[in-house]
Amino acid sequence: MSRWVLAVLFLSALGVEPGWAQSPPAGGQAPTPITTLVGQVVALFPKVEGDVLKVDGSQVTLSVGQRDGVVTGVELMVYREGEELKHPKTGEVLGRTEKTIGRVTIADVFEGYSTAKISQGSGVQPGDRARVSAGKVRLTVVPLSTGVRDNLIEAAIQELVDLLTRTGRFSVGMGDSLAVTLAQQGIKPEEALEGKGLQKVAERYKTENLLVVHFKRVESKPYMDVRLFELPRADAAFSTAFFVPPSIRPTTQGSRFSQGGPANPPQAKQRSLLARLLGRELEAGSYSSGENSIPLKEVAKFPFAVVAIDVGVMPKDKIPRMVVSDGEKIYQYKIVGLKFEPEWSMSVRSLGRVFSVYFVDLDGDGIFEVVGNRHDPKGGLNSFIVGVKDGKPRYLADSIEEFLFPVDIKGDGYKQTVWTQRFSKEKFFTQGQAEQMVWKNGKLVTDKAIRVHPAFRPMGAVFSNMNGKDSSRALAFIDEFNRLQMAVDGEDIWRSGTAVGGGSMILEQETGQMTSRVMRSAFYKIEPTPLAIDLDGDGVDEVIVPQNIVKEGLIAIVFKGPAGFRLQSIDTGFEGTITALGGFKTDDVTQPTIIATVVRYKNILKTAAETQVIMTVPQE
């Protein structure tokens, strides 16, 4: 008797009649691959209980067989009954004590009995009992993917979970957190299908039965590779693979996965952006393929090299905005959907070339000011603050001979405080020194000295809550050796072993020292500012930083996993230098939006360039 027939009989006994069980394949509609998969899973968890008849080494003979619904591959728990338990007043026998002996796996099945191999434990004896629980089996579905659209995955998983729930045999849970943990540990989907890393993540999340589903593309079509693991057994209880049925249509919305039972089965939701990034679903060139797992769109193109941007949601009107600089001018845009609407622009080149710009709400009115740093080889550093009055930009402060570095020290989601660091013609940065400023009577005035890490420089840095929602905010910054460091209250808590950063802008500074009547110069590379943003909705930030120094188009994601801080590199496939990153999240979408500026230089001297502005498509 085939597993498919057994599954039909089992579902019919439960009163469940899915469409494929109402008539046999030969006489009507054939089962889809997903319904057949459900039948295979059901067949591995029959409600059976019997006795151990004989033990010969590692082989055990049991009193259950085909007539009981047993098939090869089924795993049963072996236990030994103890003393009777009686009610102390009525004397009613309530049951017996039980001692778990181990597990056995069915090898051969006959009509009235079966033989099995001991898979766990020792000391199995004739007279012991063996069973598969009559209660609902806890089954965790772990979706993994490579290059398949997320909304198609959601639809296929929803169909699978719905059918599993309707059998009444399973309590189905979603294993997105397991999938993220596997990715954090660098385990590829193909390796997870072979069982790598499953034991540890299953122990952490207290689950035993994992249905691992890897979505990939075969012959340019979406394909499902499925394995069922009954842990701690290391090998798969069964495996199957098939193309996603044409009847599965991509979802347009939904939310995955809340427990609900047969009357209210788990509902699909979007997988977090972190899970999808760590799952390597951002493929080379995907922003132009139309079949990408993370939808990307080129939303603007500038005929110059963008050297710096900042992105934020304006506190007053809750509309996201972006400020851009080409080194000569600054431009502010309102972000409406996938469009950039220009608001104003201003030339700021007179006293130096701009190398960084930031949004900050200095006066607390909910409207952003723009802070910028610029540099001239002979004059040195010169910073400015620009505000808007009557829709027109104007200087609020200019000719500030210190680095200005706005920060979000409160965790409000936008910068509201400015730090400064002294400029040095000889050393450029006065590392380890910073002061916090406040805006009073139209001026920046010193509030207090700030304790910062000795290697801190006011560029390539960002505040985040990566150390934990209830902990002090951590300052992530790129040090002079191109390593990302994490510091809390000036103390180093983590440093990457992989190089990050690699800015496209190099500043020449005359040191004031003469050599053979020639003024000596030093050169400083300006690092891109990392982006701190919550990618998975858990309230804790991740940090994204370009890795141009390793390879153009490469980014690093730093996150806090089970073993502490971890860095994973991802090849975006962007063809050019990632000069800046920005991001925001609004209340009407579930996932954050990431913006990257990608510069392609047209000559060796880098005097001519164009910039693509690429944005992840917001998902509701």
Side-chain angles (χ1 to χ4, degrees):
M1 187 179 296
S2 71
R3 286 189 181 184
W4 183 83
V5 175
L6 282 170
V8 173
L9 292 174
F10 180 77
L11 293 176
S12 298
L14 291 172
V16 177
E17 294 190 29
W20 57 268
Q22 294 173 2
S23 57
Q29 184 179 1
T32 69
I34 292 181
T35 51
T36 302
L37 165 62
V38 171
Q40 291 176 307
V41 176
V42 168
L44 286 173
F45 295 97
K47 296 179 181 179
V48 296
E49 186 166 6
D51 297 307
V52 175
L53 303 177
K54 181 182 178 182
V55 179
D56 185 7
S58 63
Q59 181 172 293
V60 175
T61 303
L62 304 173
S63 65
V64 290
Q66 288 180 353
R67 65 190 180 192
D68 304 293
V70 175
V71 295
T72 58
V74 170
E75 189 173 59
L76 295 88
M77 180 186 74
V78 179
Y79 64 97
R80 186 168 300 153
E81 292 183 336
E83 62 179 349
E84 286 186 343
L85 296 174
K86 294 182 179 181
H87 195 286
K89 293 183 178 181
T90 65
E92 179 187 359
V93 177
L94 304 176
R96 289 180 176 274
T97 61
E98 294 180 0
K99 177 182 179 183
T100 300
I101 305 301
R103 292 175 180 267
V104 295
T105 302
I106 301 295
D108 295 295
V109 182
F110 304 91
E111 181 64 25
Y113 70 96
S114 59
T115 61
K117 295 287 186 181
I118 297 175
S119 57
Q120 182 184 353
S122 60
V124 178
Q125 300 174 2
D128 289 339
R129 302 278 289 167
R131 69 181 174 209
V132 177
S133 172
K136 285 189 178 182
V137 177
R138 289 182 59 199
L139 181 66
T140 302
V141 179
V142 182
L144 308 170
S145 65
T146 305
V148 175
R149 286 177 295 175
D150 206 53
N151 54 358
L152 182 62
I153 294 173
E154 302 300 346
I157 290 293
Q158 184 66 64
E159 175 80 6
L160 174 60
V161 170
D162 186 47
L163 287 172
L164 287 168
T165 304
R166 286 171 58 193
T167 68
R169 190 72 182 94
F170 301 101
S171 173
V172 183
M174 284 308 303
D176 288 312
S177 54
L178 281 78
V180 170
T181 301
L182 289 169
Q184 290 174 347
Q185 295 173 355
I187 297 174
K188 299 178 181 178
E190 296 82 2
E191 295 173 326
L193 281 178
E194 299 300 323
K196 183 177 180 180
L198 294 184
Q199 181 67 49
K200 286 186 176 181
V201 297
E203 289 175 357
R204 179 185 175 195
Y205 292 100
K206 296 179 173 59
T207 184
E208 291 184 349
N209 303 303
L210 302 182
L211 190 65
V212 182
V213 186
H214 179 208
F215 291 85
K216 58 184 178 181
R217 302 194 73 81
V218 175
E219 299 175 1
S220 300
K221 293 187 292 185
Y223 192 77
M224 297 170 64
D225 200 344
V226 187
R227 310 283 169 88
L228 176 68
F229 292 89
E230 298 174 82
L231 301 171
R233 176 176 166 179
D235 57 325
F238 89 89
S239 64
T240 186
F242 48 85
F243 288 103
V244 176
S247 59
I248 300 296
R249 302 296 183 191
T251 60
T252 55
Q253 60 182 358
S255 58
R256 177 196 299 178
F257 262 88
S258 58
Q259 284 297 118
N264 181 27
Q267 299 297 311
K269 78 170 182 181
Q270 296 167 350
R271 297 164 62 228
S272 74
L273 188 55
L274 177 62
R276 295 158 72 194
L277 284 167
L278 295 182
R280 297 174 176 85
E281 295 179 27
L282 186 62
E283 295 185 342
S286 62
Y287 55 90
S288 60
S289 72
E291 288 292 331
N292 46 307
S293 296
I294 300 178
L296 302 172
K297 185 176 179 62
E298 180 187 290
V299 291
K301 183 174 285 187
F302 297 114
F304 51 77
V306 169
V307 298
I309 69 168
D310 196 13
V311 177
V313 177
M314 189 88 79
K316 186 172 184 178
D317 59 17
K318 306 302 181 184
I319 297 175
R321 284 170 169 81
M322 180 171 79
V323 59
V324 176
S325 180
D326 62 350
E328 309 284 332
K329 300 176 68 175
I330 52 176
Y331 308 80
Q332 181 169 300
Y333 296 87
K334 181 189 296 184
I335 304 175
V336 181
L338 299 178
K339 294 183 179 180
F340 286 7
E341 297 181 359
E343 291 191 307
W344 55 264
S345 63
M346 178 179 178
S347 175
V348 290
R349 178 66 178 90
S350 59
L351 297 175
R353 180 170 172 78
V354 177
F355 61 87
S356 63
V357 288
Y358 307 94
F359 279 136
V360 60
D361 182 13
L362 277 176
D363 51 10
D365 63 355
I367 299 175
F368 285 144
E369 288 76 40
V370 175
V371 166
N373 294 298
R374 57 195 170 192
H375 177 265
D376 178 81
K378 296 183 181 295
L381 184 76
N382 188 280
S383 302
F384 61 87
I385 303 172
V386 170
V388 178
K389 185 176 183 180
D390 300 326
K392 296 183 179 180
R394 62 184 181 89
Y395 284 117
L396 300 181
D398 198 7
S399 303
I400 304 171
E401 296 183 356
E402 290 183 299
F403 291 96
L404 301 186
F405 179 61
V407 291
D408 175 14
I409 58 173
K410 301 178 182 178
D412 292 335
Y414 62 92
K415 305 174 192 72
Q416 64 290 111
T417 306
V418 171
W419 285 3
T420 64
Q421 187 178 93
R422 291 189 297 272
F423 168 71
S424 167
K425 281 193 174 184
E426 291 73 29
K427 298 181 180 179
F428 206 71
F429 302 105
T430 308
Q431 289 182 245
Q433 178 272 326
E435 292 181 330
Q436 185 166 298
M437 313 297 285
V438 294
W439 186 255
K440 286 185 179 180
N441 301 321
K443 293 182 179 180
L444 277 180
V445 295
T446 302
D447 180 31
K448 60 182 178 180
I450 298 296
R451 185 185 179 194
V452 292
H453 191 279
F456 167 70
R457 302 176 296 173
M459 66 169 187
V462 67
F463 260 111
S464 77
N465 68 349
M466 284 190 68
N467 202 38
K469 289 185 285 187
D470 300 324
S471 303
S472 299
R473 290 177 64 75
L475 180 65
F477 63 94
I478 301 171
D479 66 19
E480 60 186 317
F481 303 104
N482 284 99
R483 297 297 189 268
L484 189 72
Q485 291 192 234
M486 206 80 64
V488 173
D489 296 329
E491 297 295 331
D492 194 6
I493 61 173
W494 179 80
R495 184 173 186 265
S496 71
T498 303
V500 300
S504 62
M505 194 170 187
I506 298 176
L507 303 183
E508 179 185 0
Q509 174 62 44
E510 293 185 357
T511 64
Q513 300 176 4
M514 300 285 292
T515 302
S516 301
R517 298 184 180 182
V518 176
M519 186 67 70
R520 294 183 60 184
S521 294
F523 296 88
Y524 302 90
K525 178 173 284 189
I526 300 300
E527 299 295 344
T529 299
L531 170 64
I533 194 164
D534 180 10
L535 294 173
D536 55 359
D538 65 353
V540 177
D541 294 332
E542 286 73 39
V543 169
I544 311 175
V545 60
Q547 285 187 286
N548 301 307
I549 194 170
V550 178
K551 177 186 175 183
E552 285 192 343
L554 200 67
I555 61 172
I557 296 183
V558 181
F559 50 90
K560 195 169 186 179
F565 294 107
R566 189 168 180 274
L567 180 149
Q568 181 165 320
S569 297
I570 296 172
D571 192 349
T572 64
F574 298 159
E575 298 173 356
T577 302
I578 302 174
T579 56
L581 294 169
F584 64 90
K585 185 181 182 300
T586 54
D587 294 336
D588 58 340
V589 294
T590 58
Q591 298 195 4
T593 296
I594 309 298
I595 297 175
T597 54
V598 182
V599 175
R600 299 179 183 177
Y601 293 98
K602 297 182 177 180
N603 56 24
I604 296 176
L605 298 177
K606 297 185 177 182
T607 56
E610 67 176 12
T611 301
Q612 287 180 294
V613 181
I614 298 171
M615 184 167 80
T616 60
V617 177
Q619 301 196 23
E620 299 179 357

